[in-house]
Amino acid sequence: MGYARGIMGITFLTMLLTPVDKVLLSKILILTEYGYYTLAATVAGTLYMLISPITPDWFPHLTQLFASQDFPKLIRTYHQGAQLVTVVLGSAALVLIFFSETFLKLWTQNSVLAQHTAPLLSFLVLGNMLNGLMWIPYQTQLACDWTRLAVPIDIVAVLFIVAAILWVTPRYGAVGAAWVWVSLNAGYVLIGVHFMYRRILKTEK
């Protein structure tokens, strides 16, 4: 029951966290700037299509290995999954980060749109890359029957992103909101992975 409640809490908080930036920004930004942000977020979101097939394949293996207490193989499988995500996601992300305007010009055939959207795309891609790097560590936590870390982190994340967007966006516009997304996911990587290694894979940090 504790595991099920944890999964329900994580699912609810994820559903709350995913659209909250766009809901808030639709009230704060002018329509044109909000359009640029939405376009950048849509393009940046395609990164997840590259790694979304990996998680359903890795999670059952991790769960089985934890259930059988085969920790050497669990560690190898964890690193293989994390490295695969890093290579696939990181390669595509770096191209979009450094060549965002070129990509948008080729795709939209609109130089003005590309010029205004490119900085937002670079920052949102960076944030999504950091978020994606957490996928295998996160799945490892769930596979090892540990949901108690994700719930408080997600609660803090919701509170942080709401407060940060309301404070930053009126001052720095859509770029400030994009930096909020980067900061949030940098916190996931620095804090979430640290505590996971302290609890589960203690020798692998």
Side-chain angles (χ1 to χ4, degrees), residues 9-23:
I10 292 168
T11 302
F12 171 76
L13 290 167
T14 301
M15 292 173 61
L16 184 63
L17 182 63
T18 301
V20 70
D21 60 333
K22 298 175 187 63
V23 172

Side-chain angles (χ1 to χ4, degrees), residues 161-176:
I161 198 168
V162 170
I165 284 178
L166 292 175
W167 187 81
V168 170
T169 306
R171 292 166 172 79
Y172 303 103
V175 171

Side-chain angles (χ1 to χ4, degrees), residues 28-54:
I28 300 172
L29 297 174
I30 61 173
L31 184 59
T32 304
E33 198 170 8
Y34 180 70
Y36 295 144
Y37 184 92
T38 303
L39 174 61
T42 301
V43 176
T46 60
L47 285 176
Y48 294 135
M49 297 173 63
L50 298 175
I51 60 171
S52 57
I54 298 174

Side-chain angles (χ1 to χ4, degrees), residues 125-171:
V125 165
L126 176 58
N128 285 1
M129 182 183 73
L130 294 169
N131 183 276
L133 294 178
M134 278 297 299
W135 281 27
I136 295 298
Y138 173 71
Q139 293 300 319
T140 304
Q141 293 173 45
L142 299 185
C144 294
D145 195 23
W146 191 37
T147 60
R148 295 184 66 182
L149 176 64
V151 172
I153 285 181
D154 285 347
I155 291 173
V156 172
V158 171
L159 296 175
F160 168 80
I161 198 168
V162 170
I165 284 178
L166 292 175
W167 187 81
V168 170
T169 306
R171 292 166 172 79

Side-chain angles (χ1 to χ4, degrees), residues 19-109:
V20 70
D21 60 333
K22 298 175 187 63
V23 172
L24 292 174
L25 293 175
S26 68
K27 308 297 183 182
I28 300 172
L29 297 174
I30 61 173
L31 184 59
T32 304
E33 198 170 8
Y34 180 70
Y36 295 144
Y37 184 92
T38 303
L39 174 61
T42 301
V43 176
T46 60
L47 285 176
Y48 294 135
M49 297 173 63
L50 298 175
I51 60 171
S52 57
I54 298 174
T55 302
D57 186 53
W58 244 256
F59 179 69
H61 291 301
L62 293 168
T63 303
Q64 181 182 12
L65 292 170
F66 177 75
S68 62
Q69 299 291 289
D70 189 350
F71 289 107
K73 194 169 182 181
L74 174 67
I75 290 170
R76 289 197 303 272
T77 303
Y78 165 80
H79 284 304
Q80 288 169 355
Q83 289 164 7
L84 179 60
V85 168
T86 301
V87 171
V88 173
L89 179 66
S91 300
L94 290 175
V95 171
L96 285 176
I97 289 170
F98 290 107
F99 302 101
S100 56
E101 187 169 350
T102 301
F103 172 82
L104 289 168
K105 282 181 181 178
L106 291 172
W107 183 48
T108 65
Q109 299 296 303

